[in-house]
Amino acid sequence: MTETETNTYDVVVLGAGPVGENVADRTRAAGLTTAVVESELVGGECSYWACMPSKALLRPVIARADARRVPGLRQSVQGPLDASAVLAHRDYYTSNWKDDGQVGWLDSIGADLYRGHGRLTGPREVTVTGPDGGERVLTARHAVAVCTGSRAALPGLPGLDTVKPWTSREATSSKSVPGRLIVVGGGVVATEMATVWQALGSQVTLLVRGKGLLPRMEPFAGELIAEALTEAGADVRTGTSVESVTRENGTVIAVTDKGDRIEADEILFATGRAPRTDDIGLESIGLDPGSWLPVDDSLRVTGHDWLYAVGDVNHRALLTHQGKYQARIAGAAIAARATGETLLGEPWGAHAATADHAAVPQVVFTDPEAAAVGLSLAEAEQAGHRVKAVDVDLSTVSGAGLYADGYQGRARMVVDVEEEILRGVTLVGPGVGELIHSATIAVAGRVPISRLWHAVPSYPTISEVWLRLLEAYRDA
C-alpha cells in the first residue's frame, strides 16, 4: 500500500488562473510558502479560452472597422479579413494552448505547482489527485484560497448535450469559421463573439431573450451595438427564447418561442456562468458543492477564518481584472493576518476590495466599443443616491471627428448631486476602451466635480468629452 505524501505550506491556492497566480505572487512576496494546484493549464480561462483569444480575434475586426472610417485608407481595406491569419494570431496569443511560460513564471516567484484535481478534505487541507492517480495532501498553516473560477452555464433544454453546442471556450478556440452561427444570449460574450464571427464570414443570428443587448449597462450601449451588428449583416432578434435545439445530419436546428425555425452549422450558448465549485470538496467543511462562496471585503469566506474565495467564485464581479484586484487584496490580507499586522479593512483600505461595490470597470470590445465604470443611472437610483445623468453626443468632440468620419457614440456621467462626485460613467463609440481608466480614477477616487474642472483634457483628443460632460452638468 502506497503511503500518501503530505506537504505543509503557509498558503495553498486552488486554481492557477490569473487570480490564483496573483494570490500566490502576493503571498510569496510577503515571504509565505505557497503551493498552487491546477487541473488544466496554468494561466486559466483568461489566457486560453476568454480574454486573450477573444481580444486577439477582435483586434483585426476593430482595426479594419476603424480604417474604413479614415479618408485615404478606407478604399484599401474593403476586402474580407484573412480568416486563417486571424485564427493564427489568436493561436499565438494563447501560446498554442501550452502553459510552459506561465509555469516558468510560477517557478520564478518560488511557488510550488501541483498538477491534478484538488479537493478540500478538511479544514486547511487539500488533497490533490495527480494525472497518474496518485494522491498528495497539502496542509495550510494560514490559508486556503479557492480560485477555481467559473464555467459556462447551459440551459436545461432536453437533448442539448447531443447537439454539442459551443460555449465561450469553443467560440474562442474554433479552428474554422462556421458558415452559419446562432448565438444565444445578449451579454458580453454573445455580442463580442457575434462581432467576431460575422466579420470573419459567418452569417450570425443573435437570439436575445431580453429587450436588448448588454442589459447591465446603460440602455443606449446595447442599442448602438445592436444597430452596428445589424448593419454588419447579423440578424439580431430581441425578446426571443429558444424552445428546442436538435442537430440533424450536421445541421443545428433551433426553434424559438415564436415558432421560428433557424438552421445553422453551430450554435453558441452565452447564457451566463456557474461557479466551478461542484467538485472541490466543499461538503467536507460544511459548504454546498456547486455554490457561489460569500466573502467579506478581505475575500475571506463567511464562517471560515482560514478560507478565502477570490475571483469569479465569490460572484462579486466576474471579470479577470477585478479578480486580479481581489487577489492582490486577499494576498495582502492573508499575509497581514499570518504575521500579526493590523488589518486595514476600512473602505478603500489596503485589505478591503471596496472597488467591487463602487468602481468596477468593464470594456466590451465590439464595434463600437462600450465601456463603463461604477453605477448606471438605474443602479444609482436603486441604491438610494440622489443623482443626475448628463449625456453628451461623442460626435460633437473634435477628437472623435478626427478619429473617424461619421463617428457615432455617446457618453453618460452619473453625478451624485449631494456629494458632487461621480457614481458612474458609460462611454460608447470607437476607441472608448482606452478612455475608461480616466473615468475609473474619477469614480474610485471620489474626485469632486470642482476638481475635475482642473483635469484639463488635451486638445484635440476624444478625452475632451470630459469637458463637454462637465459643461453639460453645469448648464443642466
PDB file of all heavy atoms in Angstrom, residues 217 358-362 371-376 423-427 436-444 466:
ATOM      1  N   MET A 217     -25.563  47.371 -18.664  1.00  0.00           N
ATOM      2  CA  MET A 217     -25.059  48.704 -18.962  1.00  0.00           C
ATOM      3  C   MET A 217     -26.231  49.653 -19.216  1.00  0.00           C
ATOM      4  O   MET A 217     -27.389  49.249 -19.234  1.00  0.00           O
ATOM      5  CB  MET A 217     -24.125  48.663 -20.178  1.00  0.00           C
ATOM      6  CG  MET A 217     -22.751  48.085 -19.894  1.00  0.00           C
ATOM      7  SD  MET A 217     -21.636  48.309 -21.304  1.00  0.00           S
ATOM      8  CE  MET A 217     -20.065  47.834 -20.568  1.00  0.00           C
ATOM      9  N   ALA A 358     -18.196  49.758  -5.825  1.00  0.00           N
ATOM     10  CA  ALA A 358     -18.387  51.138  -6.269  1.00  0.00           C
ATOM     11  C   ALA A 358     -17.693  51.508  -7.569  1.00  0.00           C
ATOM     12  O   ALA A 358     -18.056  52.525  -8.183  1.00  0.00           O
ATOM     13  CB  ALA A 358     -17.893  52.092  -5.174  1.00  0.00           C
ATOM     14  N   ALA A 359     -16.708  50.746  -8.013  1.00  0.00           N
ATOM     15  CA  ALA A 359     -15.902  51.221  -9.146  1.00  0.00           C
ATOM     16  C   ALA A 359     -15.390  50.078 -10.013  1.00  0.00           C
ATOM     17  O   ALA A 359     -14.201  49.969 -10.287  1.00  0.00           O
ATOM     18  CB  ALA A 359     -14.725  52.057  -8.631  1.00  0.00           C
ATOM     19  N   VAL A 360     -16.301  49.220 -10.464  1.00  0.00           N
ATOM     20  CA  VAL A 360     -15.915  48.111 -11.338  1.00  0.00           C
ATOM     21  C   VAL A 360     -15.909  48.584 -12.789  1.00  0.00           C
ATOM     22  O   VAL A 360     -16.950  48.996 -13.309  1.00  0.00           O
ATOM     23  CB  VAL A 360     -16.886  46.923 -11.193  1.00  0.00           C
ATOM     24  CG1 VAL A 360     -16.545  45.829 -12.203  1.00  0.00           C
ATOM     25  CG2 VAL A 360     -16.843  46.363  -9.776  1.00  0.00           C
ATOM     26  N   PRO A 361     -14.761  48.555 -13.466  1.00  0.00           N
ATOM     27  CA  PRO A 361     -14.713  48.945 -14.872  1.00  0.00           C
ATOM     28  C   PRO A 361     -14.871  47.743 -15.801  1.00  0.00           C
ATOM     29  O   PRO A 361     -14.540  46.611 -15.435  1.00  0.00           O
ATOM     30  CB  PRO A 361     -13.313  49.544 -15.013  1.00  0.00           C
ATOM     31  CG  PRO A 361     -12.493  48.738 -14.047  1.00  0.00           C
ATOM     32  CD  PRO A 361     -13.411  48.311 -12.928  1.00  0.00           C
ATOM     33  N   GLN A 362     -15.382  47.999 -16.990  1.00  0.00           N
ATOM     34  CA  GLN A 362     -15.511  46.929 -17.975  1.00  0.00           C
ATOM     35  C   GLN A 362     -15.505  47.526 -19.371  1.00  0.00           C
ATOM     36  O   GLN A 362     -16.068  48.593 -19.606  1.00  0.00           O
ATOM     37  CB  GLN A 362     -16.813  46.147 -17.775  1.00  0.00           C
ATOM     38  CG  GLN A 362     -16.975  44.979 -18.735  1.00  0.00           C
ATOM     39  CD  GLN A 362     -18.190  44.117 -18.427  1.00  0.00           C
ATOM     40  OE1 GLN A 362     -19.137  44.574 -17.781  1.00  0.00           O
ATOM     41  NE2 GLN A 362     -18.167  42.873 -18.858  1.00  0.00           N
ATOM     42  N   ALA A 371     -17.849  50.928 -22.840  1.00  0.00           N
ATOM     43  CA  ALA A 371     -17.025  50.904 -21.635  1.00  0.00           C
ATOM     44  C   ALA A 371     -17.790  51.596 -20.514  1.00  0.00           C
ATOM     45  O   ALA A 371     -18.452  52.608 -20.735  1.00  0.00           O
ATOM     46  CB  ALA A 371     -15.690  51.603 -21.878  1.00  0.00           C
ATOM     47  N   ALA A 372     -17.693  51.036 -19.322  1.00  0.00           N
ATOM     48  CA  ALA A 372     -18.428  51.609 -18.197  1.00  0.00           C
ATOM     49  C   ALA A 372     -17.679  51.343 -16.903  1.00  0.00           C
ATOM     50  O   ALA A 372     -16.910  50.377 -16.793  1.00  0.00           O
ATOM     51  CB  ALA A 372     -19.838  51.013 -18.113  1.00  0.00           C
ATOM     52  N   VAL A 373     -17.920  52.204 -15.923  1.00  0.00           N
ATOM     53  CA  VAL A 373     -17.376  52.012 -14.588  1.00  0.00           C
ATOM     54  C   VAL A 373     -18.386  52.534 -13.580  1.00  0.00           C
ATOM     55  O   VAL A 373     -19.093  53.512 -13.845  1.00  0.00           O
ATOM     56  CB  VAL A 373     -16.010  52.713 -14.412  1.00  0.00           C
ATOM     57  CG1 VAL A 373     -16.135  54.223 -14.568  1.00  0.00           C
ATOM     58  CG2 VAL A 373     -15.384  52.354 -13.061  1.00  0.00           C
ATOM     59  N   GLY A 374     -18.464  51.870 -12.429  1.00  0.00           N
ATOM     60  CA  GLY A 374     -19.366  52.315 -11.387  1.00  0.00           C
ATOM     61  C   GLY A 374     -20.802  51.951 -11.676  1.00  0.00           C
ATOM     62  O   GLY A 374     -21.099  50.935 -12.316  1.00  0.00           O
ATOM     63  N   LEU A 375     -21.728  52.803 -11.237  1.00  0.00           N
ATOM     64  CA  LEU A 375     -23.159  52.514 -11.304  1.00  0.00           C
ATOM     65  C   LEU A 375     -23.798  53.155 -12.530  1.00  0.00           C
ATOM     66  O   LEU A 375     -23.448  54.270 -12.923  1.00  0.00           O
ATOM     67  CB  LEU A 375     -23.855  53.045 -10.050  1.00  0.00           C
ATOM     68  CG  LEU A 375     -23.328  52.554  -8.690  1.00  0.00           C
ATOM     69  CD1 LEU A 375     -24.113  53.186  -7.557  1.00  0.00           C
ATOM     70  CD2 LEU A 375     -23.380  51.036  -8.601  1.00  0.00           C
ATOM     71  N   SER A 376     -24.743  52.431 -13.122  1.00  0.00           N
ATOM     72  CA  SER A 376     -25.589  53.046 -14.134  1.00  0.00           C
ATOM     73  C   SER A 376     -26.587  53.969 -13.432  1.00  0.00           C
ATOM     74  O   SER A 376     -26.705  53.966 -12.198  1.00  0.00           O
ATOM     75  CB  SER A 376     -26.341  51.972 -14.918  1.00  0.00           C
ATOM     76  OG  SER A 376     -27.280  51.313 -14.066  1.00  0.00           O
ATOM     77  N   ARG A 423     -20.835  58.821  -9.660  1.00  0.00           N
ATOM     78  CA  ARG A 423     -21.205  57.457  -9.275  1.00  0.00           C
ATOM     79  C   ARG A 423     -20.960  56.469 -10.410  1.00  0.00           C
ATOM     80  O   ARG A 423     -20.807  55.275 -10.167  1.00  0.00           O
ATOM     81  CB  ARG A 423     -22.681  57.405  -8.870  1.00  0.00           C
ATOM     82  CG  ARG A 423     -22.999  58.133  -7.572  1.00  0.00           C
ATOM     83  CD  ARG A 423     -22.393  57.422  -6.370  1.00  0.00           C
ATOM     84  NE  ARG A 423     -22.661  58.138  -5.117  1.00  0.00           N
ATOM     85  CZ  ARG A 423     -22.216  57.746  -3.941  1.00  0.00           C
ATOM     86  NH1 ARG A 423     -21.456  56.658  -3.851  1.00  0.00           N
ATOM     87  NH2 ARG A 423     -22.482  58.450  -2.852  1.00  0.00           N
ATOM     88  N   GLY A 424     -20.929  56.978 -11.642  1.00  0.00           N
ATOM     89  CA  GLY A 424     -20.700  56.091 -12.767  1.00  0.00           C
ATOM     90  C   GLY A 424     -20.486  56.855 -14.054  1.00  0.00           C
ATOM     91  O   GLY A 424     -20.891  58.017 -14.187  1.00  0.00           O
ATOM     92  N   VAL A 425     -19.830  56.185 -15.000  1.00  0.00           N
ATOM     93  CA  VAL A 425     -19.588  56.755 -16.331  1.00  0.00           C
ATOM     94  C   VAL A 425     -19.734  55.634 -17.353  1.00  0.00           C
ATOM     95  O   VAL A 425     -19.255  54.520 -17.133  1.00  0.00           O
ATOM     96  CB  VAL A 425     -18.175  57.373 -16.449  1.00  0.00           C
ATOM     97  CG1 VAL A 425     -17.920  57.877 -17.866  1.00  0.00           C
ATOM     98  CG2 VAL A 425     -17.982  58.491 -15.430  1.00  0.00           C
ATOM     99  N   THR A 426     -20.411  55.925 -18.454  1.00  0.00           N
ATOM    100  CA  THR A 426     -20.537  54.977 -19.562  1.00  0.00           C
ATOM    101  C   THR A 426     -20.160  55.686 -20.859  1.00  0.00           C
ATOM    102  O   THR A 426     -20.596  56.813 -21.107  1.00  0.00           O
ATOM    103  CB  THR A 426     -21.965  54.428 -19.673  1.00  0.00           C
ATOM    104  OG1 THR A 426     -22.309  53.741 -18.466  1.00  0.00           O
ATOM    105  CG2 THR A 426     -22.093  53.453 -20.846  1.00  0.00           C
ATOM    106  N   LEU A 427     -19.354  55.022 -21.668  1.00  0.00           N
ATOM    107  CA  LEU A 427     -18.910  55.546 -22.956  1.00  0.00           C
ATOM    108  C   LEU A 427     -19.171  54.500 -24.028  1.00  0.00           C
ATOM    109  O   LEU A 427     -18.853  53.312 -23.833  1.00  0.00           O
ATOM    110  CB  LEU A 427     -17.416  55.866 -22.925  1.00  0.00           C
ATOM    111  CG  LEU A 427     -16.925  56.843 -21.847  1.00  0.00           C
ATOM    112  CD1 LEU A 427     -15.416  56.723 -21.689  1.00  0.00           C
ATOM    113  CD2 LEU A 427     -17.310  58.263 -22.201  1.00  0.00           C
ATOM    114  N   ILE A 436     -11.599  54.618 -20.562  1.00  0.00           N
ATOM    115  CA  ILE A 436     -12.361  54.304 -19.358  1.00  0.00           C
ATOM    116  C   ILE A 436     -11.529  54.398 -18.083  1.00  0.00           C
ATOM    117  O   ILE A 436     -12.081  54.601 -16.997  1.00  0.00           O
ATOM    118  CB  ILE A 436     -13.027  52.905 -19.474  1.00  0.00           C
ATOM    119  CG1 ILE A 436     -14.174  52.755 -18.461  1.00  0.00           C
ATOM    120  CG2 ILE A 436     -12.002  51.791 -19.314  1.00  0.00           C
ATOM    121  CD1 ILE A 436     -15.283  53.750 -18.631  1.00  0.00           C
ATOM    122  N   HIS A 437     -10.212  54.282 -18.184  1.00  0.00           N
ATOM    123  CA  HIS A 437      -9.437  54.338 -16.941  1.00  0.00           C
ATOM    124  C   HIS A 437      -9.487  55.723 -16.305  1.00  0.00           C
ATOM    125  O   HIS A 437      -9.456  55.840 -15.069  1.00  0.00           O
ATOM    126  CB  HIS A 437      -7.989  53.903 -17.154  1.00  0.00           C
ATOM    127  CG  HIS A 437      -7.266  53.636 -15.866  1.00  0.00           C
ATOM    128  ND1 HIS A 437      -7.703  52.697 -14.955  1.00  0.00           N
ATOM    129  CD2 HIS A 437      -6.165  54.201 -15.316  1.00  0.00           C
ATOM    130  CE1 HIS A 437      -6.911  52.693 -13.904  1.00  0.00           C
ATOM    131  NE2 HIS A 437      -5.959  53.596 -14.096  1.00  0.00           N
ATOM    132  N   SER A 438      -9.575  56.762 -17.113  1.00  0.00           N
ATOM    133  CA  SER A 438      -9.711  58.097 -16.524  1.00  0.00           C
ATOM    134  C   SER A 438     -11.003  58.183 -15.725  1.00  0.00           C
ATOM    135  O   SER A 438     -11.041  58.771 -14.629  1.00  0.00           O
ATOM    136  CB  SER A 438      -9.685  59.166 -17.612  1.00  0.00           C
ATOM    137  OG  SER A 438     -10.697  58.941 -18.575  1.00  0.00           O
ATOM    138  N   ALA A 439     -12.065  57.582 -16.246  1.00  0.00           N
ATOM    139  CA  ALA A 439     -13.330  57.547 -15.516  1.00  0.00           C
ATOM    140  C   ALA A 439     -13.210  56.695 -14.256  1.00  0.00           C
ATOM    141  O   ALA A 439     -13.769  57.030 -13.204  1.00  0.00           O
ATOM    142  CB  ALA A 439     -14.432  57.011 -16.418  1.00  0.00           C
ATOM    143  N   THR A 440     -12.472  55.604 -14.343  1.00  0.00           N
ATOM    144  CA  THR A 440     -12.284  54.734 -13.181  1.00  0.00           C
ATOM    145  C   THR A 440     -11.575  55.484 -12.058  1.00  0.00           C
ATOM    146  O   THR A 440     -11.947  55.366 -10.879  1.00  0.00           O
ATOM    147  CB  THR A 440     -11.475  53.482 -13.577  1.00  0.00           C
ATOM    148  OG1 THR A 440     -12.161  52.801 -14.628  1.00  0.00           O
ATOM    149  CG2 THR A 440     -11.308  52.539 -12.403  1.00  0.00           C
ATOM    150  N   ILE A 441     -10.561  56.256 -12.407  1.00  0.00           N
ATOM    151  CA  ILE A 441      -9.852  57.047 -11.395  1.00  0.00           C
ATOM    152  C   ILE A 441     -10.791  58.062 -10.758  1.00  0.00           C
ATOM    153  O   ILE A 441     -10.795  58.255  -9.528  1.00  0.00           O
ATOM    154  CB  ILE A 441      -8.630  57.744 -12.019  1.00  0.00           C
ATOM    155  CG1 ILE A 441      -7.581  56.697 -12.420  1.00  0.00           C
ATOM    156  CG2 ILE A 441      -8.024  58.763 -11.061  1.00  0.00           C
ATOM    157  CD1 ILE A 441      -6.456  57.229 -13.262  1.00  0.00           C
ATOM    158  N   ALA A 442     -11.622  58.714 -11.578  1.00  0.00           N
ATOM    159  CA  ALA A 442     -12.554  59.702 -11.040  1.00  0.00           C
ATOM    160  C   ALA A 442     -13.566  59.073 -10.092  1.00  0.00           C
ATOM    161  O   ALA A 442     -13.883  59.633  -9.032  1.00  0.00           O
ATOM    162  CB  ALA A 442     -13.278  60.407 -12.186  1.00  0.00           C
ATOM    163  N   VAL A 443     -14.078  57.890 -10.452  1.00  0.00           N
ATOM    164  CA  VAL A 443     -15.084  57.226  -9.612  1.00  0.00           C
ATOM    165  C   VAL A 443     -14.448  56.634  -8.363  1.00  0.00           C
ATOM    166  O   VAL A 443     -14.924  56.845  -7.242  1.00  0.00           O
ATOM    167  CB  VAL A 443     -15.834  56.147 -10.420  1.00  0.00           C
ATOM    168  CG1 VAL A 443     -16.771  55.341  -9.513  1.00  0.00           C
ATOM    169  CG2 VAL A 443     -16.633  56.784 -11.558  1.00  0.00           C
ATOM    170  N   ALA A 444     -13.358  55.871  -8.535  1.00  0.00           N
ATOM    171  CA  ALA A 444     -12.710  55.249  -7.382  1.00  0.00           C
ATOM    172  C   ALA A 444     -12.114  56.294  -6.444  1.00  0.00           C
ATOM    173  O   ALA A 444     -12.121  56.123  -5.220  1.00  0.00           O
ATOM    174  CB  ALA A 444     -11.618  54.280  -7.843  1.00  0.00           C
ATOM    175  N   TRP A 466     -14.741  64.785 -21.497  1.00  0.00           N
ATOM    176  CA  TRP A 466     -14.832  65.144 -20.081  1.00  0.00           C
ATOM    177  C   TRP A 466     -15.253  66.614 -19.920  1.00  0.00           C
ATOM    178  O   TRP A 466     -16.095  66.936 -19.071  1.00  0.00           O
ATOM    179  CB  TRP A 466     -13.505  64.898 -19.374  1.00  0.00           C
ATOM    180  CG  TRP A 466     -13.294  63.465 -19.016  1.00  0.00           C
ATOM    181  CD1 TRP A 466     -12.476  62.573 -19.645  1.00  0.00           C
ATOM    182  CD2 TRP A 466     -13.921  62.756 -17.952  1.00  0.00           C
ATOM    183  NE1 TRP A 466     -12.557  61.352 -19.038  1.00  0.00           N
ATOM    184  CE2 TRP A 466     -13.436  61.425 -17.983  1.00  0.00           C
ATOM    185  CE3 TRP A 466     -14.844  63.095 -16.967  1.00  0.00           C
ATOM    186  CZ2 TRP A 466     -13.842  60.452 -17.088  1.00  0.00           C
ATOM    187  CZ3 TRP A 466     -15.254  62.121 -16.061  1.00  0.00           C
ATOM    188  CH2 TRP A 466     -14.763  60.824 -16.128  1.00  0.00           C
TER     189      TRP A 466
END
